Amino acid sequence: MTQGLIDIHIIATNDIHGALFPSENDAGIMKAATYVKMVRRASEHLLLIDNGNALSGSVSTYFFSHSKNNFRNPMITLMNKMNYDASGISPNEFRYGLSYFNKAQAMADFPFLSANILHSRTKEPYFNSPYIIKTFNGMKIGIIGITSRGLMAKETVETVGEFAVEETVRAAKRWIRHMHDKESPDFVIALYHGGLNELVRNTDYKELTSNEAEAIIQASEGIDVMITGHQKKTLNKMIDDTLFIQAGSNMSHLCHIQLQFKGRTNTFELVNSQSELIDMTAYQEDEQLKDEVYFEEKEFRQWLKSKAGVVNDDFRLEHYEDFLAPHPFKTLLHDLLKNCTAEITCCHIPHMKAQGLSGMVTQHDLYNSYISIDHPVQLLLTGKQIHRIMERSAAALYEENGIHIRQEMLDPTVITDWRGFDYSLDLDQPIGRRVKMTLEPAAEYIIGTTDYIYRQYSDLIADGQLLKVHNRHMIELLEERLKSTLYLA
């Protein structure tokens, strides 16, 4: 360190998506570990933070949550070994249920931070303090976590009754003021698991409650760096006096910020700073970190190749738009939902990369047939509500040598398909008048669908209309069906 100067390195990751092992994507946390070690050797002052969405999103995290839930969490093991200082909280942290996250949090040597995820009863922060203070030679850095309220609204059916999610900007403003008043930090980092509204301005993904980074800055004083997430984009730019930085997803990059401070009588002055996004594909996996989870990886690889069953028909999806035409895999999903005691069923494209099923099916094939961890639910909806859901879904469809989806209007996985009553779509009609159906608008109907559809259309559905959430998710139900005589060779 130069005399009178303090050099501090900040490395931030976001949206790791559970990428534990080599081959799950092009980079992964083990390559990030190589870079972190290199920086630690060069600097005595390193702050390592994550902005959430590390605990789900890969086939390996599915395996450990589904088959090894009572064992240590390998992602937390790796993050502990890398000496993470803190993590923000993404709604996807709860994808495998609140108990899964609570076990992971209990194992972590670092805190998970969120200012606006509250106890539903006490309205106090659910995960202890929303911020921490790290001190380097007397210089204090405050780190606060903020979780997008809009994203939480689409992910929290598993935590209904546990959480109250405060309006994002209000919580950020209050806690940042409190942190400044109580701690007097010299530098503040906000871990916001949400994005910038300007990056989605021209699409229907523009949701002010999901991408409020700019609004948080405008309402709050004293944020020097805002690390954003969720948007699967890389970003490194100054807006006014605040650095906005985001490392994409799946560990393709990480954020590296270098700061230099000069000590004054009672404060520290920032005299130099630079930020960059580091491409992780250029680095090798850290061998010592690989050894930490050697046996977990071995067991995971064996499970991937193990046989789940043999399918007697061709349920492959070559492309997600295959799902829009009559397709046997879609019929299979309706059958599973109907078995959850509902005469009317509503299914949807499972995932953009879902591949369906065919022939001899391994556990890896089974996961890839659906990918998303969706639970069947029962809803009590009126005919009018069903019609409104169908019209919103049909608004993004167009016909051109088959039916296609305008992705700029609607996420393809939100497109719905219905069974149990007669209806027709006329895509030549104006939006809002494309659906004709036989249900009575004022009558009530029990619907079998998934919690994903319930969340995505939650603005049209009241909380009291959710009758039941099934404990088992769709991949488990597919596995059970594979073992029946109906679909086995």
Side-chain angles (χ1 to χ4, degrees), residues 237-253:
K237 66 184 292 188
M238 293 293 297
I239 301 178
D240 296 328
D241 296 324
T242 301
L243 171 66
F244 288 76
I245 193 163
Q246 182 178 162
S249 65
N250 297 329
M251 290 301 298
S252 63
H253 295 78

Side-chain angles (χ1 to χ4, degrees), residues 382-452:
T382 66
K384 182 178 180 180
Q385 286 175 304
I386 294 170
H387 187 262
R388 291 179 68 188
I389 292 170
M390 296 175 74
E391 286 286 7
R392 183 181 294 179
S393 175
L397 302 178
Y398 69 97
E399 196 160 9
E400 187 177 289
N401 297 321
I403 299 177
H404 304 280
I405 302 170
R406 300 188 194 279
Q407 291 191 42
E408 70 275 10
M409 291 183 64
L410 197 66
D411 186 326
T413 60
V414 183
I415 299 296
T416 59
D417 186 87
W418 298 77
R419 294 286 190 277
F421 62 94
D422 293 330
Y423 71 94
S424 62
L425 300 179
D426 185 351
L427 301 184
D428 292 329
Q429 294 298 315
I431 288 175
R433 294 168 51 191
R434 293 180 165 187
V435 178
K436 303 294 183 184
M437 66 177 196
T438 57
L439 300 181
E440 293 294 329
E444 293 182 324
Y445 303 91
I446 294 179
I447 309 300
T449 185
T450 70
D451 58 339
Y452 180 74

Side-chain angles (χ1 to χ4, degrees), residues 12 15 27 49 54 60 80 84-85 102 130 136 167 205 224 228 285 332 370 383 402 418 485:
D15 295 282
I49 48 183
S60 61
N80 284 343
Y84 270 82
D85 293 288
N102 284 340
F136 301 92
E167 194 273 320
Y205 293 127
D224 298 289
T228 57
E285 291 86 9
L332 171 58
Y370 199 92
W418 298 77
T485 56

